[in-house]
């Protein structure tokens, strides 16, 4: 029907009407809140490039988790900064590793039972060189400096890390390293250890992105040489992202994570159309920091811009969102 019989503005007249016909909703239970754990006690150190985000000792992280749970947030994603780094990333799979300690403390606290505790599985925070896998020094010198990030030898350490985190009580393990075959290696290791009920959330679609910059300050995980382009995907390749997802599902991933979010909404949408598994998206550090920078300048209205950014990610097809705004958003939605 044509105008004037059709007037699309009729359903926009009041907030009650707008709410009734809203097609996409945000709710706190679909938000995952990342935490960065550090050794010590009473540590709460703000990250320079991420206002409102902190390095937290385990006791402080538990407090942060309590307030997240009280706000109805769905879960936590845990990262760790170990006391010492080495070539074998031993801080990542140590029985008393910093994230393992954090998981145990959270699992002893009944007031955070509503939170799904997700442990990021990667080596970059734990290796002295900051790469996500084992580095061999005899790579091709014509290709950026004579080093190689080894694939197959890294799998064992990734699987060991995942097993250790699951054994400590993580509800989900989430590999973010982008080595080929890691989901299969992790599944096999978990099953062999009797951890067959621990799901794998694979960062299946992870692009080599400038938007991870502030995270590398937060997690102290910048590569000491080279970059991550030999293992993370080229931002130009949405079809390759579909192959990555397909591969991870074949290897046993239970759910997938898309990352970054806002610069890759088309890829999230394509994944939603094509795959019938739960799909999350990670609004990464740079997405958070650029909005915070604009808020600090008074250039954008914080609450509306934050919620609109999250809505765009939901609309593209993400069922849940990992975001540093989780608490602020939950308060705003409250
Ligand atoms: C670890 C990892 C990274 C992020 C999540 N897991 C950093 C990277 O790949 O360099 C980035 C998250 C963010 O930017 O908020 N591999």
């Amino acid at each position: 029907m044509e105008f004037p019989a059709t007037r699309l503005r009729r359903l926009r007249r009041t907030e009650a009407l707008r709410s009734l016909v809203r097609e996409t909703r945000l709710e706190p239970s679909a938000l995952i809140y990342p935490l960065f754990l550090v050794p010590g006690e009473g540590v709460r150190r703000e990250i320079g490039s991420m206002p409102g985000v902190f390095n937290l000792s385990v006791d402080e992280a538990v407090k942060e988790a309590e307030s997240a749970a009280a706000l109805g947030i769905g879960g936590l994603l845990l990262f760790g900064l170990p006391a010492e780094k080495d070539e074998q990333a031993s801080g990542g799979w140590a029985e008393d590793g910093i994230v393992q300690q954090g998981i145990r403390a959270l699992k002893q606290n009944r007031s955070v039972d509503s939170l799904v505790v997700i442990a990021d599985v990667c080596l970059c925070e734990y290796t002295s060189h900051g790469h996500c896998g084992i580095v061999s020094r005899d790579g091709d010198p014509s290709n950026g400096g004579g080093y190689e990030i080894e694939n197959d030898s890294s799998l064992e350490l990734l699987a060991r890390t995942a097993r250790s985190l699951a054994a400590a009580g993580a509800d989900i393990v989430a590999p973010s390293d982008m080595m080929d075959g890691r989901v299969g290696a992790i599944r096999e290791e978990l099953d062999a250890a009797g951890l067959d009920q621990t799901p794998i959330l694979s960062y299946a679609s992870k692009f080599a992105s400038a938007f991870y910059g502030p995270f590398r300050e937060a997690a102290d995980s910048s590569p000491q040489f080279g970059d991550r382009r030999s293992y993370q995907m080229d931002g130009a390749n949405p079809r390759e992202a579909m192959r990555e997802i397909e591969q991870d599902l074949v290897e046993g991933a239970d759910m997938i994570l898309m990352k970054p979010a806002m610069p890759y909404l088309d890829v999230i949408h394509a994944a939603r159309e094509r795959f019938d598994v739960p799909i999350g998206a990670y609004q990464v550090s740079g997405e958070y920091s650029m909005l915070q920078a604009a808020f600090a300048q008074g250039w954008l209205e914080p609450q509306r811009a934050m919620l609109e950014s999250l809505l765009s990610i939901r609309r593209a097809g993400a069922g849940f969102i990992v975001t540093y705004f989780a608490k602020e958003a939950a308060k705003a939605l409250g």
Side-chain angles (χ1 to χ4, degrees), residues 26-28 31-34 50-53 64 68 71 73 75 262 282-296 300-311 313 321-333:
L26 283 172
E27 64 256 359
L31 302 177
I32 304 289
Y33 187 39
M50 300 178 75
V53 178
E64 199 65 18
L71 285 163
I73 286 170
M262 284 164 69
Y282 196 145
Q283 184 181 49
V284 300
S285 56
E287 302 178 57
Y288 174 83
S289 297
M290 70 180 175
L291 285 168
Q292 287 289 355
F295 301 161
L300 288 174
E301 213 180 300
Q303 183 165 311
R304 289 188 56 205
M306 167 184 72
L307 292 177
E308 192 173 334
S309 73
L310 295 170
L311 191 65
I313 299 166
I321 305 174
V322 180
T323 174
Y324 302 97
F325 285 122
K327 275 175 62 181
E328 284 314 304
K331 282 181 208 160
L333 296 166

Side-chain angles (χ1 to χ4, degrees), residues 122 124 176 206 212 215-216 228 232 259 284-285 324:
C122 197
C124 63
S176 67
K206 177 167 177 178
Y212 306 148
F215 172 95
R216 293 181 188 165
R228 303 214 200 288
Q232 299 178 352
K259 168 179 178 200
V284 300
S285 56
Y324 302 97

Side-chain angles (χ1 to χ4, degrees), residues 157-190:
L157 292 184
L158 289 161
R160 198 186 297 176
T161 303
R163 190 218 317 139
S164 164
L165 294 163
D171 295 308
I172 297 178
V173 290
S176 67
D177 52 281
M178 290 302 278
M179 299 299 129
D180 286 328
R182 84 285 171 84
V183 172
I186 289 172
R187 186 71 272 158
E188 200 177 313
E189 176 96 5
L190 291 177

